[in-house]
């Protein structure tokens, strides 16, 4: 069989798949309309969770301008809030990758369509599509690389992913406004009409091939295929955000499969002590002191033994990372942050606090917590976890644990706490 | 000779896109504030790499499989190859840094966990995908053979 069809992708006849068509593209587009919106909103929520307007140390994108218009005080309830929003953000993002790839595949003939622009409006739309496709792939790629600790992108993850999201979403909104009515119509018409497998009538300006190959699968089957791919990614990822026995099911996720070591400290680690450059020399009983201070007020220095003699409280709280993984509740025990505030003169109404780590490098070696986080009775400077002293990797001699806060704000290897207006 | 007239198109679309560009530019100047060339390269490069390299590559691979099976008279069995191959390739694409081991040292020192299992688990998943597909195909072929009326002798 000789194929003497068009040789150039600019010719519609070059594209032979019988699957391409307005209905197929529309279904994928509508899934992305909902999915990408959820990704964008949970992404914005994650930025708010850092309380970036509280102190410069919490803000990785200080030049945000109006893009931070929606920021609010991140609550401490429910304690699993960040587990949920960030687990959703990362797991949904990974789950949508097959849908994104299928959507781009379904419309690729339009990339080569001639003439390149039929009108000024069309020319502008095509420029916008570069931002949509490039921006979308940029967001998915930086996200997927970041959770695998593969920091090859050109800059710090936070500004790239945050500002990139706004560029992408600006193009996404325009695209959605222009295409959603047509997509809804295509899906509705198909549902009303018979369940015809071939393209229902001429696909005017649509992505359907004018000379399709014989099908090897129908459009419905192809959608099942895309959905199955999403399901496979979901099933091999979600466990890292659920924890417990289900962590085993996250076969390829960075914090799936197994927990590090065993015993009371055998739960997921973001950065080990060795990685952070914190050694036993700094954490030994003779050298380590916790400095608790208030500007213009009192300063106290406490050994770990002295901290253990203060009233000890317990809280069952998870660790939830911006990378999407989280742990089930761990049983922390230590001194309430508000009791430490009282030591330096803040009786009753505790203020904000700046927490500094022994860690010498890293974006979050210093982090600020808001007054309501300090006041929460479950917010601790933890000394023990699950009935044992903290391990070095979980922040020995002492670490912060605050309900619903992103992992990096739960500072490990705490050296200094400064209470007061930031 | 008539000069080509500039076709404007939908004014609503122009207004909408102007609004979109303004917002994108507001965020874009912040996005490009650091390594502007690197970021622009990544965004444009991502689109080009996908549309001009990744997509043609997997489309050609798919065409080769379809044609190859077609030549053997089994074009209708394409999905039995396509599905496990695509799923395995997709997992490799998404988790490439972990599976390939390019971040192994960094991963071990940061998380305290062994980076060694990813490639093995991906290979096992791939084996299950192809094996499952082969089993399914074998069952269907068997059922079809049984159902077929006695052959004409």
């Amino acid at each position: 069989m000789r194929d003497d069809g068009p040789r150039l992708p600019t010719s519609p006849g070059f594209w032979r798949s019988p699957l391409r068509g307005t209905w197929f593209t529309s279904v994928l587009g509508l899934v992305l309309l909902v999915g990408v919106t959820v990704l964008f909103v949970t992404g914005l929520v994650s930025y708010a969770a850092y309380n970036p307007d509280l102190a410069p140390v919490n803000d990785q994108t200080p030049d945000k301008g109006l893009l931070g218009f929606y920021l609010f005080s991140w609550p401490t309830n429910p304690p699993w809030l960040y587990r949920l929003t960030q687990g959703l953000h990362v797991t949904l993002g990974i789950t949508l990758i097959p849908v994104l790839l299928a959507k781009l595949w379904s419309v690729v003939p339009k990339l080569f369509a001639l003439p390149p622009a039929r009108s000024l409006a069309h020319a502008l739309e095509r420029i916008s599509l570069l931002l949509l496709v490039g921006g979308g792939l940029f967001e998915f790629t930086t996200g997927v690389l970041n959770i695998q600790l593969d920091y090859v992108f050109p800059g710090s993850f936070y500004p790239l992913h945050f500002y990139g999201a706004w560029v992408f979403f600006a193009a996404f909104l325009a695209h959605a406004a222009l295409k959603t009515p047509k997509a809804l119509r295509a899906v509705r018409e198909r549902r009303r009409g018979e369940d015809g497998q071939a393209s229902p009538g001429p696909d005017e300006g649509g992505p359907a091939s004018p000379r399709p190959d014989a099908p090897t699968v129908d459009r419905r089957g192809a959608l099942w295929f895309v959905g199955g791919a999403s399901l496979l990614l979901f099933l091999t990822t979600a466990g890292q955000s659920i924890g417990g026995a289900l962590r085993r099911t996250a076969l390829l996720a960075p914090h799936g499969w197994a927990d590090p070591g065993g015993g009371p400290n055998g739960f997921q680690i973001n950065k080990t002590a060795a990685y952070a450059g914190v050694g036993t020399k700094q954490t030994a009983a003779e050298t380590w002191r916790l400095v608790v201070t208030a500007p213009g007020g009192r300063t106290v220095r406490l050994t770990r033994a002295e901290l253990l003699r203060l009233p000890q409280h317990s809280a069952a709280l998870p660790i939830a990372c911006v990378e999407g993984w989280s742990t089930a509740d761990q049983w922390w025990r230590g001194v309430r942050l508000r009791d430490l505030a009282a030591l330096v003169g803040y009786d009753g109404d505790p203020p904000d606090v700046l927490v500094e780590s022994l860690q010498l490098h890293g974006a979050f070696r210093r982090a600020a917590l808001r007054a309501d986080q300090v006041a929460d009775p479950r917010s601790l400077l933890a000394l023990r976890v699950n009935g044992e002293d903290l391990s070095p990797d979980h922040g020995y001699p002492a670490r912060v644990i605050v309900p619903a806060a992103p992992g990096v704000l739960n500072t490990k290897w705490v050296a200094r706490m400064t209470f007061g207006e930031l | 000779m008539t000069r080509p007239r500039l076709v404007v198109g939908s004014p609503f679309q122009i207004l909408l896109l102007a609004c979109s560009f303004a917002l994108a530019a507001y965020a874009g100047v912040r996005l490009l504030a650091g390594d502007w060339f690197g970021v622009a390269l990544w965004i444009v490069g991502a689109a080009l790499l996908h549309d001009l390299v990744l997509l043609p590559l997997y489309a050609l691979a798919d065409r080769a499989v379809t044609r190859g099976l077609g030549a053997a008279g089994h074009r209708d069995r394409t999905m039995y190859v396509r599905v496990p191959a695509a799923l395995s390739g997709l997992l490799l694409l998404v988790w490439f840094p972990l599976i390939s081991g390019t971040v192994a040292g960094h991963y071990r020192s940061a998380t305290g966990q062994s980076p060694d299992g990813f490639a093995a688990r991906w290979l096992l998943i791939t084996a299950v995908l192809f094996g499952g597909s082969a089993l399914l195909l074998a069952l269907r072929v068997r059922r079809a053979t049984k159902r077929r009326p006695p052959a004409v002798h």
Side-chain angles (χ1 to χ4, degrees):
Chain A
M1 188 167 61
R2 245 183 72 80
D3 182 6
D4 42 6
R7 298 253 175 245
L8 285 174
T10 47
S11 159
F14 174 86
W15 305 93
R16 305 297 304 277
S17 174
L19 294 176
R20 291 198 179 92
T22 304
W23 179 77
F24 188 66
T25 299
S26 297
V27 173
L28 296 169
L30 290 172
V31 172
L32 288 174
L33 175 66
V34 177
V36 169
T37 304
V38 173
L39 288 183
F40 184 68
V41 171
T42 48
L44 293 190
V45 162
S46 176
Y47 181 49
Y50 279 71
N51 279 333
D53 49 351
L54 175 64
V57 291
N58 286 21
D59 196 359
Q60 299 291 307
T61 49
D63 303 321
K64 59 193 176 291
L66 293 173
L67 301 180
F69 72 92
Y70 66 91
L71 292 175
F72 54 94
S73 291
W74 185 248
T76 55
N77 271 312
W80 41 260
L81 184 59
Y82 194 68
R83 270 193 95 181
L84 177 72
T85 63
Q86 198 57 13
L88 183 62
H89 182 77
V90 170
T91 309
L92 180 62
I94 289 168
T95 304
L96 283 178
I97 288 172
V99 186
L100 177 75
L101 293 177
K103 172 70 166 62
L104 292 176
W105 173 84
S106 81
V107 293
V108 75
K110 290 183 148 198
L111 175 70
F112 298 95
L114 289 177
R118 295 187 304 270
S119 66
L120 178 64
H122 185 231
L124 292 177
E125 188 191 352
R126 296 205 70 174
I127 296 170
S128 178
L129 287 176
L130 175 66
L131 293 184
L132 182 75
V133 176
L137 290 170
F138 180 77
E139 286 303 287
F140 277 84
T141 308
T142 50
V144 163
L145 289 173
N146 187 64
I147 63 170
Q148 297 179 73
L149 318 180
D150 196 1
Y151 309 131
V152 288
F153 28 75
S156 158
F157 174 71
Y158 290 92
L160 292 182
H161 204 64
F162 179 73
Y163 294 133
W166 278 101
V167 172
F168 168 51
F169 203 67
F172 180 83
L173 281 178
H175 190 67
L178 291 173
K179 300 294 188 186
T180 306
K182 192 182 171 191
L184 286 173
R185 214 178 312 129
V187 171
R188 245 185 256 129
E189 267 165 28
R190 162 84 173 233
R191 194 178 294 159
R192 219 180 301 129
E194 274 309 292
D195 185 22
Q197 287 311 337
S199 69
D203 191 53
E204 204 70 48
S209 171
R211 49 189 284 273
D213 267 335
T216 53
V217 58
D218 62 26
R219 287 188 176 131
R220 195 164 290 254
L223 274 189
W224 276 110
F225 178 27
V226 177
S230 284
L231 185 68
L232 176 68
L233 277 170
F234 175 82
L235 291 177
T236 51
T237 305
Q240 71 163 350
S241 311
I242 300 167
L246 284 178
R247 194 173 300 281
R248 278 274 161 201
T249 63
L251 294 172
L252 295 172
H255 285 261
W257 187 245
D259 277 317
N265 275 284
F267 54 96
Q268 296 296 313
I269 299 160
N270 181 38
K271 298 286 183 280
T272 61
Y275 185 90
V278 177
T280 47
K281 218 193 289 173
Q282 301 134 280
T283 60
E286 315 82 66
T287 47
W288 184 80
R289 296 290 180 274
L290 175 71
V291 178
V292 185
T293 181
R298 247 183 300 167
T299 297
V300 293
R301 298 167 68 83
L302 297 159
T303 65
R304 194 166 188 278
E306 286 166 334
L307 279 168
L308 281 165
R309 283 197 292 273
L310 293 174
Q312 302 290 303
H313 296 273
S314 299
L317 296 171
I319 299 271
C321 184
V322 69
E323 292 160 10
W325 58 267
S326 56
T327 72
D329 284 356
Q330 310 296 324
W331 192 63
W332 308 92
R333 195 157 170 80
V335 184
R336 279 180 177 158
L337 296 186
R338 65 184 193 197
D339 290 351
L340 291 170
L343 282 184
V344 289
Y346 288 100
D347 287 310
D349 222 8
D352 307 330
V353 66
L354 176 72
V355 184
E356 294 171 78
S357 171
L358 290 173
Q359 197 181 341
L360 295 176
H361 308 286
F364 286 93
R365 65 187 182 279
R366 306 192 307 152
L369 299 170
R370 209 187 285 275
D372 66 300
Q373 293 175 312
V374 176
D376 194 296
R378 295 162 299 178
S379 297
L380 303 177
L381 181 72
L383 305 167
R384 298 167 63 81
V385 65
N386 301 325
E388 215 175 64
D389 276 343
L390 292 171
S391 69
D393 289 337
H394 283 302
Y396 181 90
R399 75 168 299 166
V400 166
I401 185 81
V402 170
V408 284
L409 296 189
N410 295 314
T411 309
K412 299 196 277 192
W413 315 292
V414 173
R416 188 180 178 90
M417 306 179 83
T418 310
F419 287 93
E421 284 295 313
L422 294 171
Chain B
M1 199 176 103
T2 54
R3 270 199 306 157
R5 212 155 44 89
L6 175 73
V7 185
V8 175
S10 155
F12 167 73
Q13 183 165 333
I14 292 175
L15 288 176
L16 187 74
L17 289 167
C19 170
S20 161
F21 285 138
L23 177 57
Y26 187 85
V29 292
R30 289 161 171 81
L31 179 64
L32 299 173
D35 176 7
W36 67 269
F37 183 74
V39 173
L41 192 70
W42 267 62
I43 291 183
V44 177
L48 292 181
L49 209 62
H50 173 271
D51 290 348
L52 302 180
V53 180
L54 179 67
L55 193 148
L57 276 182
Y58 74 69
L60 282 176
D62 188 75
R63 185 172 289 197
V65 169
T66 314
R67 295 252 163 104
L69 287 172
H74 293 303
R75 199 167 180 281
D76 56 326
R77 296 181 187 171
T78 304
M79 282 306 264
Y80 290 95
V81 181
R82 185 188 281 145
V83 170
L87 294 183
S88 169
L90 177 72
L91 290 176
L92 180 64
L93 178 75
V94 172
W95 302 118
F96 185 78
L98 289 174
I99 293 171
S100 67
T102 52
V103 293
H106 185 197
Y107 176 86
R108 186 195 297 278
S109 71
T111 68
Q113 303 224 68
S114 164
D116 298 335
F118 291 102
R121 290 198 291 278
W122 173 70
L123 286 172
L124 287 177
I125 293 171
T126 301
V128 169
L129 287 170
F130 277 99
S133 190
L135 192 68
L136 203 62
L137 177 60
L139 286 175
R140 291 212 175 150
V141 168
R142 210 176 120 91
R143 208 183 308 154
T145 326
K146 271 192 182 164
R147 213 181 286 154
R148 199 177 298 155
V152 193
H153 293 283

